[in-house]
Amino acid sequence: EHSHLLQLARQACIRLSGTTPSGASMTAVNDGNAAVDLTKALFRRLNEQCQERGLPLFVVSIGVDQLINQFAPDEWSKADRQFADQARPFFESIKVPFLDLGESMFKAAGADPRRYFIPVDQHLNEEGNGLCAQLAWPWFQQQLAGVLSASSRS
């Protein structure tokens, strides 16, 4: 999902490709199919690196689109929305366990989800991350149990 780290990696890949987009073309990268393709490529590579090291990769989407739409509908870029719409089938295609907390986060946040976000930034604050962890933990425990079970059979 969108994060500062992912943006940093995205920018590094763009620079390594030999192009340094101007402000106008950078908008196209961040808001178009190229950004979605690059995000998928980053996750594919991350998954490959995890597999090479015998480590599992799990992905949890906090589903902020529903929450942000409630109080700042224009804050999510076109590329973020495109990737979010394609996330579940994409992660299934590369066999990475994926959890979308969108509906759970939306219900748990209640009428005023702003208290879970850093003002202006649209990223979860400490309380929002705590809620995300609380909601994701049962799923994550199941994933870890599966990994431990598989490794004990090896």
Side-chain angles (χ1 to χ4, degrees), residues 48-153:
E48 289 167 6
Q49 290 176 341
C50 287
Q51 289 175 347
E52 289 167 4
R53 291 162 178 79
L55 302 170
L57 175 63
F58 307 114
V59 176
V60 176
S61 169
I62 58 174
V64 295
D65 57 324
Q66 292 180 343
L67 296 174
I68 290 175
N69 280 338
Q70 189 173 349
F71 66 90
D74 297 327
E75 292 297 322
W76 241 39
S77 74
K78 179 181 174 187
D80 289 333
R81 290 183 193 283
Q82 282 179 278
F83 184 75
D85 291 343
Q86 299 171 28
R88 183 173 304 284
F90 167 71
F91 287 113
E92 287 173 358
S93 76
I94 63 170
K95 298 184 179 19
V96 169
F98 174 76
L99 173 65
D100 183 356
L101 289 176
E103 197 62 38
S104 300
M105 289 285 287
F106 185 71
K107 287 178 184 174
D112 186 18
R114 288 178 230 225
R115 73 176 193 263
Y116 294 109
F117 289 89
I118 298 169
V120 182
D121 184 53
Q122 307 308 333
H123 284 89
L124 294 175
N125 60 21
E126 186 176 348
E127 188 177 359
N129 279 296
L131 176 60
C132 179
Q134 178 185 358
L135 294 170
W137 182 240
W139 176 83
F140 193 61
Q141 283 179 305
Q142 290 177 341
Q143 301 306 311
L144 291 175
V147 169
L148 293 174
S149 174
S151 67
S152 69
R153 288 186 292 240

